[in-house]
């Protein structure tokens, strides 16, 4: 699947954009713990190249991102795009689909039953924004080092933690991580913390418009509940 991912990036122009993004990182005088890449993908085009990879992207996007992460790392090392890069863990890939299949199973509607939205896959959701919070910072990535000076992992980029969709802040940054080699505590290197912007948005299903119009669909009882969306 890595070969198919590389072929798609080459044909779609994503590889050219990736090389351009790498050049910006390489030309920068700043040191990075995490190199973040946003890759636009067309699920239909990928499914035509390889149905397995297409389904993987649609239904297991976090695992699919790891395939593109591996492809990006190999490309950087092969073409010497970023001299400072040391480990594959330093690469963070965000897959951004251009669209999703126009099928009911890909539409997230909180006014329909059953809910059964337990899989971590892509969904489309439509609603009305009724409140917006202020833009705040969150940790996109962080570098940790073993506090035991004689441990090989007391330097370098062995322990890189990157925020994943749906994760809380504590999943990325905590003070109870331990070294897998010597079991000593890990300490964050604050110089390499990568911050991003996040905003909390309160939304309500578009079906509420029917209720506001006085249209009850022959239902004697109904309730309307908002849902929270994190924009990162």
């Amino acid at each position: 699947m890595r070969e198919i991912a590389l072929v798609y990036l080459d044909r779609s122009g994503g590889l050219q954009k990736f090389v351009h993004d790498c050049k910006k990182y390489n030309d920068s005088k700043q040191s990075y713990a995490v190199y973040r890449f946003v890759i636009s993908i067309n699920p239909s085009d990928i499914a035509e190249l390889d149905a397995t990879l297409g389904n993987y992207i649609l239904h297991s996007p976090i695992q699919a991102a790891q395939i593109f992460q591996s492809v990006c790392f190999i490309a950087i090392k092969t073409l010497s795009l970023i001299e400072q890069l040391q480990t594959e863990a330093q690469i963070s890939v965000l897959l951004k689909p251009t669209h999703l299949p126009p099928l009911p199973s890909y539409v997230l509607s909180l006014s329909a039953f059953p809910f059964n939205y337990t899989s971590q896959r892509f969904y489309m959701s439509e609603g009305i924004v009724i409140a917006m919070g202020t833009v705040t910072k969150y940790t996109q990535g962080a570098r940790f080092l073993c506090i035991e000076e004689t441990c090989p992992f007391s330097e370098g980029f062995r322990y890189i933690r990157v925020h994943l969709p749906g994760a809380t802040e504590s999943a990325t940054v905590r003070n109870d991580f331990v070294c897998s080699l010597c079991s000593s505590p890990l300490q964050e290197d604050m110089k390499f913390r990568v911050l991003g912007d996040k905003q909390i948005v309160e939304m309500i299903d578009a079906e509420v418009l029917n209720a506001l119009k006085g249209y009850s669909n022959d239902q004697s009882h109904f309730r309307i509940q908002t849902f929270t969306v994190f924009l990162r």
Side-chain angles (χ1 to χ4, degrees), residues 120 137-141 161-174 177 198 230 232:
Q120 294 182 327
K137 296 293 183 181
Y138 79 102
T139 303
Q140 283 185 351
R161 299 197 64 83
V162 178
H163 173 84
L164 291 178
T168 60
E169 191 81 4
S170 62
T172 307
V173 179
R174 289 204 311 267
F177 297 127
K198 74 174 180 180
F230 289 81
R232 299 184 185 269

Side-chain angles (χ1 to χ4, degrees), residues 78-145:
T78 303
L79 302 176
S80 301
L81 298 176
I82 302 178
E83 297 178 1
Q84 308 94 318
L85 180 70
Q86 296 185 21
T87 65
E88 185 175 320
Q90 291 180 261
I91 298 177
S92 174
V93 171
L94 177 65
L95 298 182
K96 186 177 181 181
T98 56
H99 68 282
L100 292 178
L103 300 171
S105 58
Y106 293 98
V107 177
L108 176 66
S109 176
L110 297 183
S111 66
F113 289 94
F115 294 136
N116 193 27
Y117 299 119
T118 57
S119 63
Q120 294 182 327
R121 74 179 199 188
F122 289 118
Y123 289 99
M124 293 179 289
S125 182
E126 193 175 82
I128 303 167
V129 175
I130 62 173
M132 298 177 67
T134 58
V135 177
T136 57
K137 296 293 183 181
Y138 79 102
T139 303
Q140 283 185 351
R143 175 199 189 193
F144 287 82
L145 298 172

Side-chain angles (χ1 to χ4, degrees), residues 31-35 84-90 142-149 151-161 179 186-192:
S31 297
Y32 293 90
V34 177
Y35 299 88
Q84 308 94 318
L85 180 70
Q86 296 185 21
T87 65
E88 185 175 320
Q90 291 180 261
R143 175 199 189 193
F144 287 82
L145 298 172
C146 180
I147 65 171
E148 177 56 53
E149 295 182 357
C151 179
F153 297 155
S154 62
E155 56 185 12
F157 293 86
R158 173 64 174 80
Y159 294 113
I160 300 294
R161 299 197 64 83
C179 178
L186 297 180
Q187 186 175 30
E188 182 186 356
D189 186 352
M190 295 298 296
K191 300 190 301 293
F192 285 90

